[in-house]
Amino acid sequence: MYGQRARSPVAEALLRHRAGGRAEAVSAGSRPKDRLHPDAVRVLHDEFGIDVAGQRPRHLDTVTGRRFDLVISLCDKAREVLPDFPGRPRRAHWSIPDPAADGTDQAGYLAFQHVAADIDTRVRRLLPVLDAIRP
C-alpha cells in the first residue's frame, strides 16, 4: 500500500489487524516523511486499539524487488510512480483523499476518522479476495 504518512500506514495497520496473520501488509511511499502523522497514530489507537507509535514511514526503494500478490495504491500521485514488481502482482487503486489536508485541529482529526473508517471498510471487503488469490 502506498502513500506514506497517513493513508497507507493506516491501511497497513488495519489490514494486519483484520487479517489476523492471514496476510502480510507493507506500506511505502515515493516521498515518505520522517514520522507518521500524529492524527493517523491517534485514530488507530483510539478507534481500533492499534499502536503504531513506533512505526516509521518507508520509501518505495525498501520494497522494490519484493514479490507481492496484490499492490494497492491509495494516492493518485503514488499510483503513477509505482515500480514494476517481480511476478506482475495484481494491482488495485483506492482513491482516498489525504486527511492531512484538513489540518491538525479537530476538523483534521475528524478527516482522519472518516478516512480510517473508509479504509477499514475496504480492508474488510478485501479479506475474502485475498483468501481467494493466495495459493
Side-chain angles (χ1 to χ4, degrees):
M1 307 215 175
Y2 294 94
Q4 260 336 76
R5 181 153 145 90
R7 292 166 286 185
S8 81
V10 167
E12 175 187 359
L14 288 169
L15 181 56
R16 285 177 187 241
H17 179 72
R18 298 291 181 205
R22 295 186 329 228
E24 179 184 352
V26 177
S27 66
S30 59
R31 294 182 318 232
K33 305 293 184 193
D34 292 337
R35 62 186 180 91
L36 300 180
H37 193 286
D39 284 338
V41 174
R42 184 174 154 212
V43 77
L44 285 169
H45 179 268
D46 293 354
E47 304 293 325
F48 301 96
I50 302 170
D51 181 8
V52 295
Q55 183 176 321
R56 297 290 172 253
R58 292 182 282 290
H59 192 274
L60 282 171
D61 292 346
T62 65
V63 297
T64 301
R66 287 188 58 182
R67 289 190 171 272
F68 296 98
D69 296 318
L70 175 64
V71 174
I72 302 171
S73 54
L74 306 176
C75 168
D76 296 337
K77 292 178 184 176
R79 176 178 62 171
E80 297 173 7
V81 298
L82 286 178
D84 290 325
F85 291 98
R88 303 185 58 90
R90 295 176 190 206
R91 289 185 182 224
H93 179 66
W94 298 346
S95 185
I96 297 177
D98 182 3
D102 286 339
T104 57
D105 58 4
Q106 185 61 26
Y109 184 72
L110 287 172
F112 275 85
Q113 286 179 309
H114 291 295
V115 164
D118 180 17
I119 292 172
D120 189 46
T121 298
R122 293 171 190 247
V123 163
R124 287 173 185 256
R125 291 180 182 153
L126 177 65
L127 290 173
V129 174
L130 291 178
D131 290 338
I133 66 172
R134 293 187 64 214

